[in-house]
Amino acid sequence: MFSIAKLAEGAYIRDMETIFQGRRIEWDDKKNELNIKNHGFSLETARLVFADPERIEVFDELHSDDEDRYQVIGRIGKVVFVVYTEREDAIRLISARLATAKERRAYYGNS
């Protein structure tokens, strides 16, 4: 039996798999461990940023030499900053951290 929680439009969690607009959200386990060590929370938690209908997403031109990268600022209790890339049928999380004061102002519209 699946437990499905409705999130933002096109997003839901089924057991431990997150689907956003028909695509899986995934991450590397070693990167996840590093992210917990360096930033204090997991990429598993960071995936919930896609449930925020008010999130801000932008293309990361500066860091997209080898692959297209995107930045998203959204709220999952606190405002967070997440970096991801797109791979075929999945969204691959790269890193996540708490948003800076400047990023929080942008999220709340006080830039």
Side-chain angles (χ1 to χ4, degrees), residues 25-27 31 35 39 41 43 46 49-50 58-60 63-64 67-73 80-86 91-97 103:
I25 298 177
E26 62 184 25
W27 54 86
K31 283 279 240 184
N35 206 81
H39 302 294
F41 68 98
L43 296 176
V49 74
F50 293 100
V58 296
F59 178 71
D60 183 359
H63 298 102
S64 292
E67 63 185 356
D68 288 348
R69 290 191 176 193
Y70 301 88
Q71 300 172 344
V72 58
I73 300 171
V80 297
F81 178 90
V82 178
V83 177
Y84 71 93
T85 191
E86 296 179 334
I91 294 170
R92 181 110 173 147
L93 300 182
I94 297 170
S95 67
R97 59 172 170 71
E103 292 159 349

PDB file of all heavy atoms in Angstrom, residues 25-27 31 35 39 41 43 46 49-50 58-60 63-64 67-73 80-86 91-97 103:
ATOM      1  N   ILE A  25      12.845  12.697  -7.846  1.00  0.00           N
ATOM      2  CA  ILE A  25      13.879  13.537  -7.250  1.00  0.00           C
ATOM      3  C   ILE A  25      14.867  12.595  -6.584  1.00  0.00           C
ATOM      4  O   ILE A  25      14.491  11.765  -5.759  1.00  0.00           O
ATOM      5  CB  ILE A  25      13.290  14.539  -6.241  1.00  0.00           C
ATOM      6  CG1 ILE A  25      12.315  15.468  -6.967  1.00  0.00           C
ATOM      7  CG2 ILE A  25      14.406  15.322  -5.569  1.00  0.00           C
ATOM      8  CD1 ILE A  25      11.615  16.442  -6.056  1.00  0.00           C
ATOM      9  N   GLU A  26      16.135  12.717  -6.974  1.00  0.00           N
ATOM     10  CA  GLU A  26      17.158  11.792  -6.485  1.00  0.00           C
ATOM     11  C   GLU A  26      18.394  12.566  -6.041  1.00  0.00           C
ATOM     12  O   GLU A  26      18.509  13.768  -6.287  1.00  0.00           O
ATOM     13  CB  GLU A  26      17.535  10.788  -7.573  1.00  0.00           C
ATOM     14  CG  GLU A  26      18.132  11.431  -8.810  1.00  0.00           C
ATOM     15  CD  GLU A  26      18.421  10.454  -9.932  1.00  0.00           C
ATOM     16  OE1 GLU A  26      17.776   9.401  -9.994  1.00  0.00           O
ATOM     17  OE2 GLU A  26      19.314  10.766 -10.741  1.00  0.00           O
ATOM     18  N   TRP A  27      19.322  11.863  -5.381  1.00  0.00           N
ATOM     19  CA  TRP A  27      20.572  12.449  -4.920  1.00  0.00           C
ATOM     20  C   TRP A  27      21.565  11.342  -4.689  1.00  0.00           C
ATOM     21  O   TRP A  27      21.219  10.168  -4.569  1.00  0.00           O
ATOM     22  CB  TRP A  27      20.365  13.255  -3.639  1.00  0.00           C
ATOM     23  CG  TRP A  27      19.694  12.464  -2.558  1.00  0.00           C
ATOM     24  CD1 TRP A  27      20.291  11.643  -1.644  1.00  0.00           C
ATOM     25  CD2 TRP A  27      18.289  12.371  -2.314  1.00  0.00           C
ATOM     26  NE1 TRP A  27      19.340  11.052  -0.843  1.00  0.00           N
ATOM     27  CE2 TRP A  27      18.108  11.494  -1.235  1.00  0.00           C
ATOM     28  CE3 TRP A  27      17.174  12.950  -2.906  1.00  0.00           C
ATOM     29  CZ2 TRP A  27      16.854  11.182  -0.734  1.00  0.00           C
ATOM     30  CZ3 TRP A  27      15.933  12.632  -2.408  1.00  0.00           C
ATOM     31  CH2 TRP A  27      15.773  11.754  -1.331  1.00  0.00           C
ATOM     32  N   LYS A  31      27.033  12.510  -1.369  1.00  0.00           N
ATOM     33  CA  LYS A  31      26.774  13.948  -1.354  1.00  0.00           C
ATOM     34  C   LYS A  31      25.816  14.303  -0.225  1.00  0.00           C
ATOM     35  O   LYS A  31      25.943  15.346   0.412  1.00  0.00           O
ATOM     36  CB  LYS A  31      26.163  14.407  -2.685  1.00  0.00           C
ATOM     37  CG  LYS A  31      27.144  14.530  -3.798  1.00  0.00           C
ATOM     38  CD  LYS A  31      27.869  15.831  -3.692  1.00  0.00           C
ATOM     39  CE  LYS A  31      27.621  16.648  -4.928  1.00  0.00           C
ATOM     40  NZ  LYS A  31      28.375  17.883  -4.916  1.00  0.00           N
ATOM     41  N   ASN A  35      26.489  16.868   2.716  1.00  0.00           N
ATOM     42  CA  ASN A  35      25.582  17.993   2.906  1.00  0.00           C
ATOM     43  C   ASN A  35      25.121  18.079   4.362  1.00  0.00           C
ATOM     44  O   ASN A  35      25.052  19.167   4.932  1.00  0.00           O
ATOM     45  CB  ASN A  35      24.373  17.868   1.977  1.00  0.00           C
ATOM     46  CG  ASN A  35      23.770  19.215   1.677  1.00  0.00           C
ATOM     47  OD1 ASN A  35      24.255  19.937   0.822  1.00  0.00           O
ATOM     48  ND2 ASN A  35      22.714  19.566   2.395  1.00  0.00           N
ATOM     49  N   HIS A  39      26.176  21.375   6.097  1.00  0.00           N
ATOM     50  CA  HIS A  39      25.076  22.339   6.162  1.00  0.00           C
ATOM     51  C   HIS A  39      23.987  21.994   7.175  1.00  0.00           C
ATOM     52  O   HIS A  39      23.043  22.757   7.340  1.00  0.00           O
ATOM     53  CB  HIS A  39      24.451  22.515   4.776  1.00  0.00           C
ATOM     54  CG  HIS A  39      25.441  22.976   3.756  1.00  0.00           C
ATOM     55  ND1 HIS A  39      26.035  24.206   3.800  1.00  0.00           N
ATOM     56  CD2 HIS A  39      25.951  22.341   2.670  1.00  0.00           C
ATOM     57  CE1 HIS A  39      26.861  24.326   2.776  1.00  0.00           C
ATOM     58  NE2 HIS A  39      26.841  23.211   2.079  1.00  0.00           N
ATOM     59  N   PHE A  41      21.599  19.655   7.219  1.00  0.00           N
ATOM     60  CA  PHE A  41      20.373  18.940   6.870  1.00  0.00           C
ATOM     61  C   PHE A  41      20.549  18.152   5.587  1.00  0.00           C
ATOM     62  O   PHE A  41      21.469  18.379   4.808  1.00  0.00           O
ATOM     63  CB  PHE A  41      19.139  19.841   6.852  1.00  0.00           C
ATOM     64  CG  PHE A  41      19.100  20.877   5.768  1.00  0.00           C
ATOM     65  CD1 PHE A  41      18.392  20.648   4.601  1.00  0.00           C
ATOM     66  CD2 PHE A  41      19.725  22.084   5.927  1.00  0.00           C
ATOM     67  CE1 PHE A  41      18.338  21.599   3.616  1.00  0.00           C
ATOM     68  CE2 PHE A  41      19.661  23.058   4.953  1.00  0.00           C
ATOM     69  CZ  PHE A  41      18.971  22.808   3.782  1.00  0.00           C
ATOM     70  N   LEU A  43      19.671  16.066   1.952  1.00  0.00           N
ATOM     71  CA  LEU A  43      19.061  16.303   0.648  1.00  0.00           C
ATOM     72  C   LEU A  43      17.665  15.697   0.614  1.00  0.00           C
ATOM     73  O   LEU A  43      16.796  16.182  -0.111  1.00  0.00           O
ATOM     74  CB  LEU A  43      19.943  15.735  -0.461  1.00  0.00           C
ATOM     75  CG  LEU A  43      21.315  16.398  -0.598  1.00  0.00           C
ATOM     76  CD1 LEU A  43      22.148  15.709  -1.668  1.00  0.00           C
ATOM     77  CD2 LEU A  43      21.186  17.885  -0.870  1.00  0.00           C
ATOM     78  N   ALA A  46      15.733  18.445   1.808  1.00  0.00           N
ATOM     79  CA  ALA A  46      15.779  19.527   0.816  1.00  0.00           C
ATOM     80  C   ALA A  46      14.819  19.294  -0.347  1.00  0.00           C
ATOM     81  O   ALA A  46      14.317  20.242  -0.947  1.00  0.00           O
ATOM     82  CB  ALA A  46      17.197  19.686   0.285  1.00  0.00           C
ATOM     83  N   VAL A  49      11.546  21.276  -0.955  1.00  0.00           N
ATOM     84  CA  VAL A  49      11.477  22.633  -1.492  1.00  0.00           C
ATOM     85  C   VAL A  49      10.556  22.692  -2.710  1.00  0.00           C
ATOM     86  O   VAL A  49       9.921  23.708  -2.973  1.00  0.00           O
ATOM     87  CB  VAL A  49      12.893  23.175  -1.817  1.00  0.00           C
ATOM     88  CG1 VAL A  49      13.459  22.531  -3.071  1.00  0.00           C
ATOM     89  CG2 VAL A  49      12.871  24.680  -1.939  1.00  0.00           C
ATOM     90  N   PHE A  50      10.433  21.587  -3.428  1.00  0.00           N
ATOM     91  CA  PHE A  50       9.577  21.561  -4.612  1.00  0.00           C
ATOM     92  C   PHE A  50       8.091  21.577  -4.257  1.00  0.00           C
ATOM     93  O   PHE A  50       7.247  21.794  -5.123  1.00  0.00           O
ATOM     94  CB  PHE A  50       9.914  20.359  -5.496  1.00  0.00           C
ATOM     95  CG  PHE A  50      11.283  20.477  -6.111  1.00  0.00           C
ATOM     96  CD1 PHE A  50      12.356  19.811  -5.569  1.00  0.00           C
ATOM     97  CD2 PHE A  50      11.490  21.291  -7.211  1.00  0.00           C
ATOM     98  CE1 PHE A  50      13.627  19.934  -6.122  1.00  0.00           C
ATOM     99  CE2 PHE A  50      12.754  21.432  -7.772  1.00  0.00           C
ATOM    100  CZ  PHE A  50      13.817  20.753  -7.218  1.00  0.00           C
ATOM    101  N   VAL A  58      15.867  29.658 -10.598  1.00  0.00           N
ATOM    102  CA  VAL A  58      16.620  30.349 -11.638  1.00  0.00           C
ATOM    103  C   VAL A  58      17.693  29.436 -12.208  1.00  0.00           C
ATOM    104  O   VAL A  58      18.205  28.552 -11.510  1.00  0.00           O
ATOM    105  CB  VAL A  58      17.274  31.655 -11.120  1.00  0.00           C
ATOM    106  CG1 VAL A  58      16.234  32.674 -10.693  1.00  0.00           C
ATOM    107  CG2 VAL A  58      18.245  31.389  -9.999  1.00  0.00           C
ATOM    108  N   PHE A  59      18.021  29.665 -13.474  1.00  0.00           N
ATOM    109  CA  PHE A  59      19.117  28.952 -14.123  1.00  0.00           C
ATOM    110  C   PHE A  59      20.426  29.491 -13.562  1.00  0.00           C
ATOM    111  O   PHE A  59      20.608  30.701 -13.434  1.00  0.00           O
ATOM    112  CB  PHE A  59      19.047  29.169 -15.634  1.00  0.00           C
ATOM    113  CG  PHE A  59      20.162  28.515 -16.392  1.00  0.00           C
ATOM    114  CD1 PHE A  59      20.219  27.134 -16.518  1.00  0.00           C
ATOM    115  CD2 PHE A  59      21.159  29.277 -16.974  1.00  0.00           C
ATOM    116  CE1 PHE A  59      21.249  26.521 -17.215  1.00  0.00           C
ATOM    117  CE2 PHE A  59      22.192  28.678 -17.677  1.00  0.00           C
ATOM    118  CZ  PHE A  59      22.234  27.298 -17.799  1.00  0.00           C
ATOM    119  N   ASP A  60      21.358  28.609 -13.212  1.00  0.00           N
ATOM    120  CA  ASP A  60      22.651  28.980 -12.642  1.00  0.00           C
ATOM    121  C   ASP A  60      23.692  29.042 -13.763  1.00  0.00           C
ATOM    122  O   ASP A  60      24.416  28.093 -14.005  1.00  0.00           O
ATOM    123  CB  ASP A  60      23.057  27.978 -11.565  1.00  0.00           C
ATOM    124  CG  ASP A  60      24.353  28.343 -10.866  1.00  0.00           C
ATOM    125  OD1 ASP A  60      24.976  29.362 -11.219  1.00  0.00           O
ATOM    126  OD2 ASP A  60      24.745  27.590  -9.953  1.00  0.00           O
ATOM    127  N   HIS A  63      27.559  28.312 -12.937  1.00  0.00           N
ATOM    128  CA  HIS A  63      28.020  26.951 -12.614  1.00  0.00           C
ATOM    129  C   HIS A  63      27.494  25.899 -13.582  1.00  0.00           C
ATOM    130  O   HIS A  63      27.387  24.727 -13.213  1.00  0.00           O
ATOM    131  CB  HIS A  63      27.616  26.594 -11.176  1.00  0.00           C
ATOM    132  CG  HIS A  63      28.230  27.491 -10.172  1.00  0.00           C
ATOM    133  ND1 HIS A  63      27.529  28.523  -9.580  1.00  0.00           N
ATOM    134  CD2 HIS A  63      29.493  27.559  -9.671  1.00  0.00           C
ATOM    135  CE1 HIS A  63      28.327  29.164  -8.743  1.00  0.00           C
ATOM    136  NE2 HIS A  63      29.518  28.606  -8.776  1.00  0.00           N
ATOM    137  N   SER A  64      27.166  26.291 -14.799  1.00  0.00           N
ATOM    138  CA  SER A  64      26.559  25.353 -15.741  1.00  0.00           C
ATOM    139  C   SER A  64      27.477  25.000 -16.910  1.00  0.00           C
ATOM    140  O   SER A  64      27.017  24.737 -18.021  1.00  0.00           O
ATOM    141  CB  SER A  64      25.242  25.936 -16.274  1.00  0.00           C
ATOM    142  OG  SER A  64      24.284  25.989 -15.246  1.00  0.00           O
ATOM    143  N   GLU A  67      27.146  20.852 -16.983  1.00  0.00           N
ATOM    144  CA  GLU A  67      25.744  20.460 -17.044  1.00  0.00           C
ATOM    145  C   GLU A  67      24.901  21.645 -16.597  1.00  0.00           C
ATOM    146  O   GLU A  67      25.375  22.500 -15.858  1.00  0.00           O
ATOM    147  CB  GLU A  67      25.457  19.250 -16.156  1.00  0.00           C
ATOM    148  CG  GLU A  67      25.691  19.505 -14.674  1.00  0.00           C
ATOM    149  CD  GLU A  67      25.519  18.271 -13.813  1.00  0.00           C
ATOM    150  OE1 GLU A  67      25.139  17.215 -14.331  1.00  0.00           O
ATOM    151  OE2 GLU A  67      25.777  18.376 -12.608  1.00  0.00           O
ATOM    152  N   ASP A  68      23.672  21.715 -17.059  1.00  0.00           N
ATOM    153  CA  ASP A  68      22.776  22.792 -16.649  1.00  0.00           C
ATOM    154  C   ASP A  68      22.440  22.629 -15.173  1.00  0.00           C
ATOM    155  O   ASP A  68      22.036  21.541 -14.736  1.00  0.00           O
ATOM    156  CB  ASP A  68      21.489  22.779 -17.461  1.00  0.00           C
ATOM    157  CG  ASP A  68      21.705  23.244 -18.891  1.00  0.00           C
ATOM    158  OD1 ASP A  68      22.794  23.791 -19.196  1.00  0.00           O
ATOM    159  OD2 ASP A  68      20.788  23.066 -19.706  1.00  0.00           O
ATOM    160  N   ARG A  69      22.617  23.695 -14.434  1.00  0.00           N
ATOM    161  CA  ARG A  69      22.289  23.694 -13.006  1.00  0.00           C
ATOM    162  C   ARG A  69      21.273  24.773 -12.722  1.00  0.00           C
ATOM    163  O   ARG A  69      21.254  25.813 -13.372  1.00  0.00           O
ATOM    164  CB  ARG A  69      23.535  23.914 -12.155  1.00  0.00           C
ATOM    165  CG  ARG A  69      24.458  22.720 -12.203  1.00  0.00           C
ATOM    166  CD  ARG A  69      25.520  22.823 -11.173  1.00  0.00           C
ATOM    167  NE  ARG A  69      26.331  21.616 -11.188  1.00  0.00           N
ATOM    168  CZ  ARG A  69      27.189  21.289 -10.262  1.00  0.00           C
ATOM    169  NH1 ARG A  69      27.365  22.074  -9.220  1.00  0.00           N
ATOM    170  NH2 ARG A  69      27.881  20.179 -10.337  1.00  0.00           N
ATOM    171  N   TYR A  70      20.473  24.508 -11.715  1.00  0.00           N
ATOM    172  CA  TYR A  70      19.416  25.433 -11.325  1.00  0.00           C
ATOM    173  C   TYR A  70      19.507  25.679  -9.833  1.00  0.00           C
ATOM    174  O   TYR A  70      19.920  24.802  -9.075  1.00  0.00           O
ATOM    175  CB  TYR A  70      18.046  24.854 -11.681  1.00  0.00           C
ATOM    176  CG  TYR A  70      17.920  24.578 -13.158  1.00  0.00           C
ATOM    177  CD1 TYR A  70      18.328  23.358 -13.677  1.00  0.00           C
ATOM    178  CD2 TYR A  70      17.437  25.542 -14.025  1.00  0.00           C
ATOM    179  CE1 TYR A  70      18.241  23.106 -15.036  1.00  0.00           C
ATOM    180  CE2 TYR A  70      17.347  25.302 -15.385  1.00  0.00           C
ATOM    181  CZ  TYR A  70      17.755  24.078 -15.889  1.00  0.00           C
ATOM    182  OH  TYR A  70      17.681  23.836 -17.232  1.00  0.00           O
ATOM    183  N   GLN A  71      19.094  26.873  -9.424  1.00  0.00           N
ATOM    184  CA  GLN A  71      19.028  27.225  -8.014  1.00  0.00           C
ATOM    185  C   GLN A  71      17.568  27.452  -7.661  1.00  0.00           C
ATOM    186  O   GLN A  71      16.823  28.028  -8.455  1.00  0.00           O
ATOM    187  CB  GLN A  71      19.805  28.513  -7.754  1.00  0.00           C
ATOM    188  CG  GLN A  71      21.257  28.427  -8.105  1.00  0.00           C
ATOM    189  CD  GLN A  71      21.949  29.774  -8.018  1.00  0.00           C
ATOM    190  OE1 GLN A  71      21.317  30.813  -7.984  1.00  0.00           O
ATOM    191  NE2 GLN A  71      23.275  29.741  -7.992  1.00  0.00           N
ATOM    192  N   VAL A  72      17.184  26.996  -6.502  1.00  0.00           N
ATOM    193  CA  VAL A  72      15.817  27.227  -6.035  1.00  0.00           C
ATOM    194  C   VAL A  72      15.872  27.690  -4.584  1.00  0.00           C
ATOM    195  O   VAL A  72      16.639  27.166  -3.779  1.00  0.00           O
ATOM    196  CB  VAL A  72      14.926  25.962  -6.211  1.00  0.00           C
ATOM    197  CG1 VAL A  72      15.485  24.771  -5.493  1.00  0.00           C
ATOM    198  CG2 VAL A  72      13.507  26.219  -5.790  1.00  0.00           C
ATOM    199  N   ILE A  73      15.111  28.733  -4.307  1.00  0.00           N
ATOM    200  CA  ILE A  73      14.954  29.233  -2.951  1.00  0.00           C
ATOM    201  C   ILE A  73      13.501  28.973  -2.570  1.00  0.00           C
ATOM    202  O   ILE A  73      12.583  29.359  -3.296  1.00  0.00           O
ATOM    203  CB  ILE A  73      15.257  30.738  -2.853  1.00  0.00           C
ATOM    204  CG1 ILE A  73      16.693  31.025  -3.294  1.00  0.00           C
ATOM    205  CG2 ILE A  73      15.035  31.231  -1.418  1.00  0.00           C
ATOM    206  CD1 ILE A  73      16.997  32.499  -3.440  1.00  0.00           C
ATOM    207  N   VAL A  80      15.339  27.863   2.421  1.00  0.00           N
ATOM    208  CA  VAL A  80      16.541  27.137   2.026  1.00  0.00           C
ATOM    209  C   VAL A  80      16.936  27.477   0.594  1.00  0.00           C
ATOM    210  O   VAL A  80      16.127  27.976  -0.193  1.00  0.00           O
ATOM    211  CB  VAL A  80      16.357  25.613   2.164  1.00  0.00           C
ATOM    212  CG1 VAL A  80      16.110  25.221   3.616  1.00  0.00           C
ATOM    213  CG2 VAL A  80      15.242  25.112   1.271  1.00  0.00           C
ATOM    214  N   PHE A  81      18.183  27.172   0.275  1.00  0.00           N
ATOM    215  CA  PHE A  81      18.757  27.368  -1.050  1.00  0.00           C
ATOM    216  C   PHE A  81      19.209  25.999  -1.538  1.00  0.00           C
ATOM    217  O   PHE A  81      20.018  25.343  -0.882  1.00  0.00           O
ATOM    218  CB  PHE A  81      19.951  28.323  -0.937  1.00  0.00           C
ATOM    219  CG  PHE A  81      20.663  28.582  -2.222  1.00  0.00           C
ATOM    220  CD1 PHE A  81      20.282  29.632  -3.043  1.00  0.00           C
ATOM    221  CD2 PHE A  81      21.740  27.803  -2.608  1.00  0.00           C
ATOM    222  CE1 PHE A  81      20.959  29.896  -4.224  1.00  0.00           C
ATOM    223  CE2 PHE A  81      22.420  28.054  -3.777  1.00  0.00           C
ATOM    224  CZ  PHE A  81      22.025  29.107  -4.602  1.00  0.00           C
ATOM    225  N   VAL A  82      18.683  25.545  -2.667  1.00  0.00           N
ATOM    226  CA  VAL A  82      18.966  24.204  -3.186  1.00  0.00           C
ATOM    227  C   VAL A  82      19.490  24.316  -4.610  1.00  0.00           C
ATOM    228  O   VAL A  82      18.989  25.123  -5.397  1.00  0.00           O
ATOM    229  CB  VAL A  82      17.689  23.324  -3.153  1.00  0.00           C
ATOM    230  CG1 VAL A  82      17.960  21.946  -3.726  1.00  0.00           C
ATOM    231  CG2 VAL A  82      17.137  23.223  -1.739  1.00  0.00           C
ATOM    232  N   VAL A  83      20.489  23.515  -4.927  1.00  0.00           N
ATOM    233  CA  VAL A  83      21.038  23.445  -6.280  1.00  0.00           C
ATOM    234  C   VAL A  83      20.716  22.068  -6.842  1.00  0.00           C
ATOM    235  O   VAL A  83      20.871  21.053  -6.153  1.00  0.00           O
ATOM    236  CB  VAL A  83      22.569  23.666  -6.275  1.00  0.00           C
ATOM    237  CG1 VAL A  83      23.141  23.507  -7.684  1.00  0.00           C
ATOM    238  CG2 VAL A  83      22.903  25.026  -5.693  1.00  0.00           C
ATOM    239  N   TYR A  84      20.255  22.048  -8.099  1.00  0.00           N
ATOM    240  CA  TYR A  84      19.928  20.776  -8.732  1.00  0.00           C
ATOM    241  C   TYR A  84      20.229  20.817 -10.220  1.00  0.00           C
ATOM    242  O   TYR A  84      20.461  21.878 -10.799  1.00  0.00           O
ATOM    243  CB  TYR A  84      18.470  20.388  -8.488  1.00  0.00           C
ATOM    244  CG  TYR A  84      17.455  21.224  -9.232  1.00  0.00           C
ATOM    245  CD1 TYR A  84      16.970  20.823 -10.483  1.00  0.00           C
ATOM    246  CD2 TYR A  84      16.954  22.407  -8.697  1.00  0.00           C
ATOM    247  CE1 TYR A  84      16.035  21.585 -11.170  1.00  0.00           C
ATOM    248  CE2 TYR A  84      16.017  23.166  -9.370  1.00  0.00           C
ATOM    249  CZ  TYR A  84      15.561  22.748 -10.605  1.00  0.00           C
ATOM    250  OH  TYR A  84      14.640  23.504 -11.284  1.00  0.00           O
ATOM    251  N   THR A  85      20.235  19.652 -10.823  1.00  0.00           N
ATOM    252  CA  THR A  85      20.359  19.514 -12.261  1.00  0.00           C
ATOM    253  C   THR A  85      19.260  18.567 -12.732  1.00  0.00           C
ATOM    254  O   THR A  85      18.614  17.908 -11.914  1.00  0.00           O
ATOM    255  CB  THR A  85      21.764  19.006 -12.666  1.00  0.00           C
ATOM    256  OG1 THR A  85      21.918  19.121 -14.075  1.00  0.00           O
ATOM    257  CG2 THR A  85      21.993  17.560 -12.229  1.00  0.00           C
ATOM    258  N   GLU A  86      19.060  18.526 -14.015  1.00  0.00           N
ATOM    259  CA  GLU A  86      18.052  17.622 -14.575  1.00  0.00           C
ATOM    260  C   GLU A  86      18.752  16.506 -15.333  1.00  0.00           C
ATOM    261  O   GLU A  86      19.653  16.770 -16.131  1.00  0.00           O
ATOM    262  CB  GLU A  86      17.106  18.391 -15.491  1.00  0.00           C
ATOM    263  CG  GLU A  86      16.315  19.434 -14.733  1.00  0.00           C
ATOM    264  CD  GLU A  86      15.380  20.237 -15.620  1.00  0.00           C
ATOM    265  OE1 GLU A  86      15.658  20.362 -16.831  1.00  0.00           O
ATOM    266  OE2 GLU A  86      14.380  20.747 -15.090  1.00  0.00           O
ATOM    267  N   ILE A  91      15.156  14.684 -11.402  1.00  0.00           N
ATOM    268  CA  ILE A  91      15.780  15.899 -10.884  1.00  0.00           C
ATOM    269  C   ILE A  91      16.819  15.422  -9.881  1.00  0.00           C
ATOM    270  O   ILE A  91      16.504  14.673  -8.961  1.00  0.00           O
ATOM    271  CB  ILE A  91      14.741  16.802 -10.198  1.00  0.00           C
ATOM    272  CG1 ILE A  91      13.748  17.331 -11.234  1.00  0.00           C
ATOM    273  CG2 ILE A  91      15.426  17.923  -9.437  1.00  0.00           C
ATOM    274  CD1 ILE A  91      12.548  18.030 -10.641  1.00  0.00           C
ATOM    275  N   ARG A  92      18.073  15.822 -10.071  1.00  0.00           N
ATOM    276  CA  ARG A  92      19.167  15.362  -9.209  1.00  0.00           C
ATOM    277  C   ARG A  92      19.617  16.504  -8.315  1.00  0.00           C
ATOM    278  O   ARG A  92      20.113  17.518  -8.792  1.00  0.00           O
ATOM    279  CB  ARG A  92      20.326  14.892 -10.081  1.00  0.00           C
ATOM    280  CG  ARG A  92      21.503  14.376  -9.314  1.00  0.00           C
ATOM    281  CD  ARG A  92      21.593  12.914  -9.500  1.00  0.00           C
ATOM    282  NE  ARG A  92      22.804  12.365  -8.924  1.00  0.00           N
ATOM    283  CZ  ARG A  92      22.836  11.169  -8.413  1.00  0.00           C
ATOM    284  NH1 ARG A  92      21.757  10.424  -8.425  1.00  0.00           N
ATOM    285  NH2 ARG A  92      23.929  10.692  -7.908  1.00  0.00           N
ATOM    286  N   LEU A  93      19.431  16.339  -7.010  1.00  0.00           N
ATOM    287  CA  LEU A  93      19.851  17.347  -6.045  1.00  0.00           C
ATOM    288  C   LEU A  93      21.367  17.308  -5.890  1.00  0.00           C
ATOM    289  O   LEU A  93      21.962  16.233  -5.797  1.00  0.00           O
ATOM    290  CB  LEU A  93      19.181  17.127  -4.699  1.00  0.00           C
ATOM    291  CG  LEU A  93      17.658  17.180  -4.696  1.00  0.00           C
ATOM    292  CD1 LEU A  93      17.134  17.004  -3.283  1.00  0.00           C
ATOM    293  CD2 LEU A  93      17.145  18.463  -5.311  1.00  0.00           C
ATOM    294  N   ILE A  94      21.976  18.488  -5.867  1.00  0.00           N
ATOM    295  CA  ILE A  94      23.426  18.597  -5.754  1.00  0.00           C
ATOM    296  C   ILE A  94      23.831  19.072  -4.373  1.00  0.00           C
ATOM    297  O   ILE A  94      24.726  18.514  -3.745  1.00  0.00           O
ATOM    298  CB  ILE A  94      23.980  19.540  -6.843  1.00  0.00           C
ATOM    299  CG1 ILE A  94      23.686  18.937  -8.216  1.00  0.00           C
ATOM    300  CG2 ILE A  94      25.474  19.782  -6.640  1.00  0.00           C
ATOM    301  CD1 ILE A  94      23.954  19.867  -9.365  1.00  0.00           C
ATOM    302  N   SER A  95      23.183  20.126  -3.881  1.00  0.00           N
ATOM    303  CA  SER A  95      23.493  20.619  -2.546  1.00  0.00           C
ATOM    304  C   SER A  95      22.322  21.437  -2.015  1.00  0.00           C
ATOM    305  O   SER A  95      21.445  21.852  -2.774  1.00  0.00           O
ATOM    306  CB  SER A  95      24.765  21.478  -2.547  1.00  0.00           C
ATOM    307  OG  SER A  95      24.547  22.677  -3.265  1.00  0.00           O
ATOM    308  N   ALA A  96      22.353  21.666  -0.719  1.00  0.00           N
ATOM    309  CA  ALA A  96      21.294  22.437  -0.069  1.00  0.00           C
ATOM    310  C   ALA A  96      21.840  23.022   1.221  1.00  0.00           C
ATOM    311  O   ALA A  96      22.678  22.418   1.883  1.00  0.00           O
ATOM    312  CB  ALA A  96      20.096  21.552   0.222  1.00  0.00           C
ATOM    313  N   ARG A  97      21.349  24.216   1.523  1.00  0.00           N
ATOM    314  CA  ARG A  97      21.764  24.892   2.754  1.00  0.00           C
ATOM    315  C   ARG A  97      20.673  25.881   3.140  1.00  0.00           C
ATOM    316  O   ARG A  97      19.761  26.142   2.354  1.00  0.00           O
ATOM    317  CB  ARG A  97      23.090  25.627   2.556  1.00  0.00           C
ATOM    318  CG  ARG A  97      23.029  26.671   1.446  1.00  0.00           C
ATOM    319  CD  ARG A  97      24.287  27.513   1.393  1.00  0.00           C
ATOM    320  NE  ARG A  97      24.361  28.342   0.225  1.00  0.00           N
ATOM    321  CZ  ARG A  97      23.628  29.418  -0.030  1.00  0.00           C
ATOM    322  NH1 ARG A  97      22.708  29.813   0.847  1.00  0.00           N
ATOM    323  NH2 ARG A  97      23.780  30.123  -1.128  1.00  0.00           N
ATOM    324  N   GLU A 103      19.151  36.046   0.263  1.00  0.00           N
ATOM    325  CA  GLU A 103      18.250  35.083  -0.388  1.00  0.00           C
ATOM    326  C   GLU A 103      16.881  35.074   0.289  1.00  0.00           C
ATOM    327  O   GLU A 103      15.858  34.970  -0.385  1.00  0.00           O
ATOM    328  CB  GLU A 103      18.891  33.692  -0.389  1.00  0.00           C
ATOM    329  CG  GLU A 103      20.117  33.610  -1.285  1.00  0.00           C
ATOM    330  CD  GLU A 103      21.055  32.475  -0.968  1.00  0.00           C
ATOM    331  OE1 GLU A 103      20.910  31.816   0.105  1.00  0.00           O
ATOM    332  OE2 GLU A 103      21.969  32.245  -1.771  1.00  0.00           O
TER     333      GLU A 103
END
